[in-house]
Amino acid sequence: MNGFHPRRRQVAVSVTGLIVLAVLWAMLWGDPHPGTIAAGVLIGAVTVFLLPMPRIGFHGRLHPWGAFVLLVKFHIDLVQASWQVSKLAFRFGYTPRGGIIGVKLRRANDLTMTSVAQISALVPGTIVVDAHRLTGTLYLHVLDLDLAGGAEQVRQDTLELEARVLRALAPREELERLGLVRARRRDTGKKEVSQ
Amino acid sequence: MNWSQLADVVAAILLLLGSLLTLVAGVGILRFPDLLARIHAGTKPQVLGLVLVLSAEALRVRSWPVLGMLIVVVIFQFLTIPVAAHMVGRGGYRTEQLDRDLLVVDDLRDDMMAATRAETKPPSYDD
């Protein structure tokens, strides 16, 4: 798709958006009847036309293995986070003492920052209070600093989360530059085939 | 015990666990000391609780259209709850709806104060 004229690419992107919206619509109605799909396409077209979204600038490639690891770890983290908050909620007579910690991400890219911010709201200990787009800094509120193992530990955990996000969707050169290539063997074989 | 009975038992367990987590979220919101801490209770146990309840429903109803619908609901929960939490947290922080005594560190205030200082200070060309 890279050789396309920029306007053509824009059209391709909104057609993808249209298809996604139509599929979502059909899934919500729970029935793939032609009428439902037609209505989905119509409503999707109106949505895409009236509420154009800014381009996200996705230059990477979805790495299936990285995405799988990210998803599995996210669900484990979600369970742990819920358990942690539950324990604190029933620890009567104890007041959690938190803090707001700034974490500077490696890659100040909209997609990476948004993904990390989204996921960090559901993993143990943190929610995003503020984000600084230019420096790529996330400000995370930690529910209980002692429980989270201190500010440094939170920074390290968040950077690990970012590494997982990058392994799932950053371009290969970027991963190499950041020294994040771990699953090398598995990927080189695949790269030849897919290109 | 056949498969559908097994699915029903698992669904019952998931339903109970999910309800329990929703209860925990409520207790957390009541018990935690300030806005930022309460958002934690309103995000994690609440989302997982809902996911468990919906999984229970999928196991009990066992129909593809319903499964598709539930998956869409879960995806939108994962997407919207963090955004909602962030908006409440950011608004609360900027309007000082928080208990400063409970914060051990606050990098955001430090950075914001540094930014304000840098803006108000007359530019110095020495450095």
Side-chain angles (χ1 to χ4, degrees):
Chain A
M1 212 186 266
N2 279 337
F4 274 22
H5 187 273
R7 288 237 317 267
R8 288 277 290 281
R9 190 184 151 95
Q10 182 91 53
V11 169
V13 168
S14 49
V15 166
T16 321
L18 189 62
I19 294 170
V20 170
L21 285 174
V23 169
L24 276 180
W25 181 260
M27 275 174 98
L28 277 176
W29 278 100
D31 118 61
H33 191 272
T36 317
I37 294 173
V41 171
L42 199 70
I43 292 169
V46 172
T47 315
V48 171
F49 184 70
L50 289 183
L51 305 164
M53 299 282 276
R55 306 264 309 276
I56 201 163
F58 179 63
H59 301 300
R61 193 169 71 81
L62 192 72
H63 306 283
W65 177 250
F68 177 74
V69 171
L70 178 69
L71 263 177
V72 169
K73 185 79 172 83
F74 164 70
H75 284 93
I76 297 173
D77 280 349
L78 179 62
V79 173
Q80 275 181 350
S82 302
W83 175 240
Q84 213 180 53
V85 175
S86 313
K87 271 195 307 192
L88 274 177
F90 284 99
R91 216 161 134 191
F92 295 103
Y94 174 82
T95 314
R97 296 176 63 82
I100 296 179
I101 291 165
V103 185
K104 195 166 173 342
L105 301 180
R106 300 181 186 89
R107 193 166 181 245
N109 163 294
D110 282 354
L111 182 62
T112 318
M113 258 187 97
T114 314
S115 317
V116 175
Q118 284 270 350
I119 298 173
S120 64
L122 294 173
V123 303
T126 50
I127 51 167
V128 180
V129 177
D130 217 325
H132 196 253
R133 190 174 168 220
L134 283 179
T135 54
T137 310
L138 289 179
Y139 294 93
L140 303 166
H141 177 258
V142 183
L143 179 55
D144 189 281
L145 261 184
D146 291 338
L147 202 72
E152 260 329 299
Q153 186 63 40
V154 172
R155 279 201 191 96
Q156 211 179 315
D157 287 350
T158 309
L159 285 176
E160 266 168 36
L161 167 65
E162 193 208 3
R164 283 197 297 277
V165 170
L166 289 176
R167 282 199 193 101
L169 39 78
R172 173 143 293 272
E173 312 82 68
E174 195 71 26
L175 288 178
E176 266 161 20
R177 194 174 64 76
L178 295 167
L180 285 177
V181 190
R182 201 159 59 184
R184 237 215 122 86
R185 210 159 18 95
R186 212 176 352 243
D187 275 23
T188 35
K190 231 182 253 163
K191 210 180 168 189
E192 312 292 316
V193 182
S194 67
Q195 283 189 343
Chain B
M1 199 185 211
N2 56 28
W3 285 113
S4 70
Q5 274 170 322
L6 182 69
D8 282 356
V9 170
V10 175
I13 294 169
L14 289 181
L15 199 59
L16 271 174
L17 277 177
S19 316
L20 207 65
L21 277 170
T22 311
L23 175 72
V24 163
V27 172
I29 287 175
L30 270 177
R31 269 224 341 118
F32 285 154
D34 70 342
L35 176 85
L36 288 174
R38 284 178 174 158
I39 303 173
H40 284 275
T43 48
K44 290 140 208 172
Q46 137 68 23
V47 169
L48 184 64
L50 185 75
V51 170
L52 291 183
V53 169
L54 294 182
S55 314
E57 196 188 330
L59 279 175
R60 180 71 188 85
V61 179
R62 296 193 280 271
S63 104
W64 290 111
V66 172
L67 184 68
M69 202 181 300
L70 295 179
I71 288 175
V72 175
V73 173
V74 169
I75 291 174
F76 276 105
Q77 280 287 311
F78 283 160
L79 289 178
T80 55
I81 292 282
V83 177
H86 167 58
M87 287 336 280
V88 175
R90 185 181 153 105
Y93 186 89
R94 298 203 168 211
T95 49
E96 293 285 322
Q97 299 288 319
L98 70 163
D99 193 345
R100 289 235 169 254
D101 299 339
L102 291 172
L103 289 181
V104 183
V105 279
D106 189 350
D107 287 349
L108 180 55
R109 187 186 52 183
D110 299 348
D111 288 2
M112 270 161 83
M113 275 163 73
T116 320
R117 265 201 307 277
E119 270 172 21
T120 47
K121 200 178 68 174
S124 114
Y125 298 103
D126 294 342
D127 44 42

